[in-house]
């Protein structure tokens, strides 16, 4: 019998630990489905997105998996807010054949594949966003010919 510094005895020279018994965890359950390896997500750090913008690729096109759509999407990268981690982009919705403005947190994006400065063949360019029009003055019904009322 051996004793540790607290005076507790333990046999065979090994300390015994009061821990839960080891439970077997199969790490491959999440990787293999039906015998095929499933790709693991590659999360994009915000500095990698900023690096792309620093290369002059603002407005260029990428493929990435967006958590909000739960699939790979074609995006036009517009910017990132380093304080909040929100990435600004246009997302192409192929089922509607249109672009929508979108923001997603960088941690909800995985895998960033550069497509190029133009969208792939068959995908139209997104329309430039226009600032919202100021509200019409209250007196427009009486003066519809005025330039502010057009």
């Amino acid at each position: 019998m051996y004793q540790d510094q607290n005076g507790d005895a333990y046999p065979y020279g090994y300390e015994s630990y009061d821990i839960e018994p080891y439970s077997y965890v199969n790490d491959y359950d999440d990787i293999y489905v039906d015998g095929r390896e499933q790709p693991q997500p590659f999360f994009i750090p915000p500095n990698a997105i900023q690096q792309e913008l620093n290369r002059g690729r603002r407005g260029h096109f990428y493929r990435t998996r967006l958590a909000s759509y739960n699939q790979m999407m074609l995006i036009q990268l517009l910017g990132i807010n380093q304080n909040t981690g929100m990435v600004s982009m246009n997302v192409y919705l192929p089922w509607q054949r249109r672009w929508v403005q979108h923001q997603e947190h960088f941690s909800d994006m995985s895998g960033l594949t550069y497509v190029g400065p133009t969208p792939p063949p068959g995908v139209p360019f997104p329309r430039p966003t226009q600032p919202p029009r100021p509200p019409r003055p209250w007196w427009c019904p009486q003066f519809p010919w005025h330039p502010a009322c057009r």
Side-chain angles (χ1 to χ4, degrees), residues 44-79:
I44 307 163
N47 60 349
I49 296 169
Q50 187 62 52
Q51 232 176 7
E52 292 296 307
L53 296 169
N54 293 345
R55 288 182 181 163
R57 292 184 173 175
R58 181 180 311 274
H60 287 211
F61 299 89
Y62 295 83
R63 290 205 186 279
T64 185
R65 177 172 291 278
L66 300 176
S68 57
Y69 290 97
N70 197 26
Q71 64 180 331
M72 291 296 286
M73 301 296 287
L74 177 66
I75 68 164
Q76 182 185 32
L77 184 62
L78 300 177

Coordinates of all heavy atoms in Angstrom, one line a residue, residues 44-79:
I44 N -15.5 30.0 -41.6 CA -14.7 31.1 -42.1 C -14.4 32.1 -41.1 O -15.3 32.7 -40.5 CB -15.4 31.7 -43.3 CG1 -15.9 30.7 -44.3 CG2 -14.6 32.8 -43.9 CD1 -16.9 31.2 -45.2
P45 N -13.1 32.3 -40.7 CA -12.8 33.4 -39.7 C -13.0 34.7 -40.4 O -12.9 34.9 -41.6 CB -11.4 33.1 -39.4 CG -10.8 32.3 -40.5 CD -12.0 31.6 -41.1
P46 N -13.4 35.7 -39.6 CA -13.7 37.0 -40.1 C -12.5 37.7 -40.8 O -12.6 38.4 -41.7 CB -14.1 37.9 -38.9 CG -13.7 37.1 -37.7 CD -13.6 35.7 -38.1
N47 N -11.3 37.3 -40.3 CA -10.1 37.9 -41.0 C -9.9 37.4 -42.4 O -9.3 38.1 -43.2 CB -8.8 37.8 -40.1 CG -8.5 36.3 -39.8 OD1 -9.3 35.4 -40.1 ND2 -7.3 36.1 -39.3
A48 N -10.4 36.2 -42.7 CA -10.3 35.6 -44.0 C -11.2 36.4 -44.9 O -10.8 36.7 -46.1 CB -10.6 34.1 -44.0
I49 N -12.4 36.7 -44.5 CA -13.3 37.5 -45.3 C -12.7 38.9 -45.5 O -12.7 39.4 -46.6 CB -14.7 37.6 -44.6 CG1 -15.3 36.2 -44.5 CG2 -15.6 38.6 -45.3 CD1 -16.5 36.1 -43.7
Q50 N -12.1 39.5 -44.5 CA -11.5 40.8 -44.6 C -10.4 40.8 -45.6 O -10.1 41.7 -46.3 CB -11.1 41.4 -43.2 CG -10.6 42.8 -43.3 CD -11.7 43.8 -43.7 OE1 -12.8 43.8 -43.2 NE2 -11.3 44.6 -44.7
Q51 N -9.6 39.7 -45.6 CA -8.5 39.5 -46.5 C -9.0 39.5 -47.9 O -8.3 40.1 -48.8 CB -7.8 38.2 -46.2 CG -6.3 38.3 -46.0 CD -5.7 37.0 -45.6 OE1 -6.4 35.9 -45.6 NE2 -4.4 37.0 -45.3
E52 N -10.1 38.9 -48.2 CA -10.7 38.8 -49.6 C -11.0 40.3 -50.0 O -10.8 40.7 -51.1 CB -11.9 37.9 -49.6 CG -11.6 36.5 -49.5 CD -10.7 35.9 -50.6 OE1 -11.1 36.1 -51.8 OE2 -9.6 35.3 -50.3
L53 N -11.6 41.0 -49.1 CA -12.0 42.4 -49.4 C -10.7 43.3 -49.6 O -10.7 44.1 -50.5 CB -12.8 43.0 -48.3 CG -14.2 42.3 -48.1 CD1 -14.9 42.8 -46.8 CD2 -15.1 42.5 -49.3
N54 N -9.7 43.0 -48.8 CA -8.4 43.8 -49.0 C -7.8 43.5 -50.3 O -7.0 44.3 -50.8 CB -7.5 43.5 -47.8 CG -8.0 44.0 -46.5 OD1 -8.9 44.8 -46.4 ND2 -7.4 43.5 -45.4
R55 N -8.0 42.3 -50.9 CA -7.5 41.9 -52.2 C -8.2 42.6 -53.3 O -7.9 42.4 -54.5 CB -7.6 40.4 -52.4 CG -6.7 39.6 -51.6 CD -6.9 38.1 -51.9 NE -6.0 37.3 -51.2 CZ -6.1 36.0 -51.0 NH1 -7.1 35.4 -51.6 NH2 -5.3 35.4 -50.3
G56 N -9.2 43.4 -53.0 CA -10.0 44.1 -54.0 C -11.1 43.2 -54.6 O -11.6 43.5 -55.7
R57 N -11.6 42.3 -53.8 CA -12.7 41.4 -54.3 C -14.0 41.7 -53.7 O -14.9 40.9 -53.7 CB -12.3 39.9 -53.9 CG -11.1 39.4 -54.6 CD -10.8 38.0 -54.3 NE -9.8 37.5 -55.2 CZ -9.3 36.2 -55.1 NH1 -9.7 35.4 -54.1 NH2 -8.3 35.8 -55.9
R58 N -14.2 43.0 -53.3 CA -15.6 43.4 -53.0 C -16.4 43.4 -54.2 O -16.0 43.9 -55.3 CB -15.5 44.8 -52.4 CG -16.8 45.4 -52.0 CD -16.7 46.8 -51.4 NE -15.7 47.0 -50.4 CZ -15.8 46.7 -49.1 NH1 -17.0 46.3 -48.7 NH2 -14.8 46.8 -48.3
G59 N -17.6 42.8 -54.1 CA -18.5 42.7 -55.3 C -18.2 41.4 -56.1 O -18.9 41.2 -57.1
H60 N -17.2 40.6 -55.7 CA -16.9 39.4 -56.5 C -17.8 38.3 -55.9 O -18.5 38.4 -54.9 CB -15.5 39.0 -56.3 CG -14.6 39.9 -57.1 ND1 -13.4 39.4 -57.7 CD2 -14.6 41.2 -57.4 CE1 -12.8 40.4 -58.3 NE2 -13.5 41.5 -58.2
F61 N -17.8 37.2 -56.6 CA -18.8 36.1 -56.4 C -18.1 34.9 -55.8 O -17.0 34.5 -56.1 CB -19.5 35.7 -57.7 CG -20.3 36.9 -58.3 CD1 -19.7 37.7 -59.1 CD2 -21.6 37.1 -57.9 CE1 -20.4 38.8 -59.6 CE2 -22.3 38.2 -58.4 CZ -21.7 39.0 -59.3
Y62 N -18.8 34.2 -54.8 CA -18.3 33.1 -54.1 C -19.5 32.1 -53.9 O -20.6 32.4 -54.0 CB -17.9 33.5 -52.7 CG -16.7 34.4 -52.7 CD1 -16.8 35.8 -52.8 CD2 -15.4 33.9 -52.5 CE1 -15.7 36.6 -52.8 CE2 -14.3 34.8 -52.4 CZ -14.5 36.1 -52.6 OH -13.4 37.0 -52.6
R63 N -19.1 30.8 -53.6 CA -20.0 29.8 -53.2 C -19.7 29.5 -51.7 O -18.6 29.4 -51.4 CB -19.9 28.5 -54.0 CG -20.3 28.7 -55.4 CD -20.7 27.3 -56.0 NE -21.0 27.4 -57.4 CZ -22.2 27.9 -57.9 NH1 -23.2 28.2 -57.1 NH2 -22.4 28.0 -59.2
T64 N -20.8 29.5 -50.9 CA -20.6 29.2 -49.5 C -21.9 28.6 -49.0 O -22.9 28.8 -49.5 CB -20.2 30.5 -48.7 OG1 -20.0 30.2 -47.4 CG2 -21.4 31.5 -48.8
R65 N -21.7 27.9 -47.9 CA -22.9 27.3 -47.2 C -23.4 28.3 -46.2 O -22.6 28.7 -45.3 CB -22.6 26.0 -46.6 CG -23.8 25.4 -45.8 CD -23.5 24.0 -45.3 NE -23.4 23.0 -46.4 CZ -24.5 22.4 -47.0 NH1 -25.7 22.8 -46.6 NH2 -24.3 21.6 -47.9
L66 N -24.6 28.7 -46.3 CA -25.2 29.6 -45.4 C -26.2 28.9 -44.5 O -27.1 28.1 -45.0 CB -26.0 30.7 -46.1 CG -25.1 31.6 -47.1 CD1 -26.0 32.6 -47.8 CD2 -24.1 32.3 -46.3
A67 N -26.1 29.1 -43.2 CA -26.9 28.4 -42.2 C -28.4 28.8 -42.4 O -29.3 28.0 -42.2 CB -26.5 28.7 -40.8
S68 N -28.6 30.0 -42.8 CA -30.0 30.5 -42.9 C -30.7 29.8 -44.1 O -32.0 29.7 -44.0 CB -30.1 32.0 -43.0 OG -29.3 32.4 -44.1
Y69 N -30.0 29.4 -45.1 CA -30.6 28.7 -46.2 C -30.3 27.2 -46.1 O -30.9 26.4 -46.9 CB -30.1 29.2 -47.5 CG -30.5 30.6 -47.8 CD1 -29.8 31.7 -47.5 CD2 -31.8 30.8 -48.4 CE1 -30.2 33.0 -47.8 CE2 -32.2 32.1 -48.7 CZ -31.4 33.2 -48.4 OH -31.9 34.4 -48.7
N70 N -29.4 26.7 -45.3 CA -29.0 25.3 -45.1 C -28.6 24.7 -46.3 O -28.9 23.5 -46.6 CB -30.2 24.6 -44.4 CG -29.7 23.3 -43.8 OD1 -28.5 23.1 -43.5 ND2 -30.6 22.3 -43.7
Q71 N -27.9 25.4 -47.2 CA -27.4 24.8 -48.4 C -26.3 25.7 -49.0 O -26.1 26.9 -48.6 CB -28.5 24.6 -49.4 CG -29.2 25.8 -49.9 CD -30.2 25.5 -50.9 OE1 -30.1 24.5 -51.7 NE2 -31.3 26.3 -51.0
M72 N -25.6 25.2 -50.0 CA -24.6 26.0 -50.7 C -25.3 27.1 -51.5 O -26.3 26.7 -52.2 CB -23.7 25.1 -51.6 CG -22.8 24.2 -50.9 SD -21.6 25.0 -49.9 CE -20.5 25.6 -51.2
M73 N -24.8 28.3 -51.5 CA -25.5 29.4 -52.2 C -24.4 30.2 -52.9 O -23.2 30.2 -52.5 CB -26.2 30.3 -51.2 CG -27.3 29.7 -50.4 SD -28.6 29.0 -51.3 CE -29.5 30.5 -51.8
L74 N -24.8 30.8 -54.0 CA -23.9 31.7 -54.7 C -24.2 33.1 -54.1 O -25.3 33.6 -54.0 CB -24.3 31.8 -56.2 CG -23.5 32.8 -57.0 CD1 -22.0 32.4 -57.1 CD2 -24.1 32.8 -58.4
I75 N -23.1 33.8 -53.7 CA -23.2 35.1 -53.1 C -22.3 36.1 -53.8 O -21.3 35.7 -54.4 CB -22.8 35.1 -51.6 CG1 -21.3 34.8 -51.3 CG2 -23.7 34.1 -50.8 CD1 -20.9 35.1 -49.9
Q76 N -22.6 37.3 -53.6 CA -21.8 38.4 -54.0 C -21.3 39.1 -52.7 O -22.2 39.7 -52.0 CB -22.5 39.4 -54.9 CG -21.6 40.6 -55.4 CD -22.4 41.6 -56.2 OE1 -23.6 41.9 -55.9 NE2 -21.8 42.3 -57.1
L77 N -20.1 39.0 -52.4 CA -19.5 39.6 -51.2 C -19.5 41.1 -51.2 O -18.9 41.6 -52.1 CB -18.1 39.0 -50.9 CG -17.5 39.3 -49.6 CD1 -18.3 38.8 -48.4 CD2 -16.1 38.7 -49.5
L78 N -20.1 41.7 -50.2 CA -20.1 43.2 -50.2 C -19.3 43.8 -49.1 O -18.7 44.9 -49.2 CB -21.6 43.7 -50.1 CG -22.5 43.2 -51.3 CD1 -23.9 43.7 -51.0 CD2 -21.9 43.7 -52.6
G79 N -19.2 43.1 -47.9 CA -18.5 43.7 -46.8 C -18.7 42.9 -45.5 O -19.5 42.0 -45.5

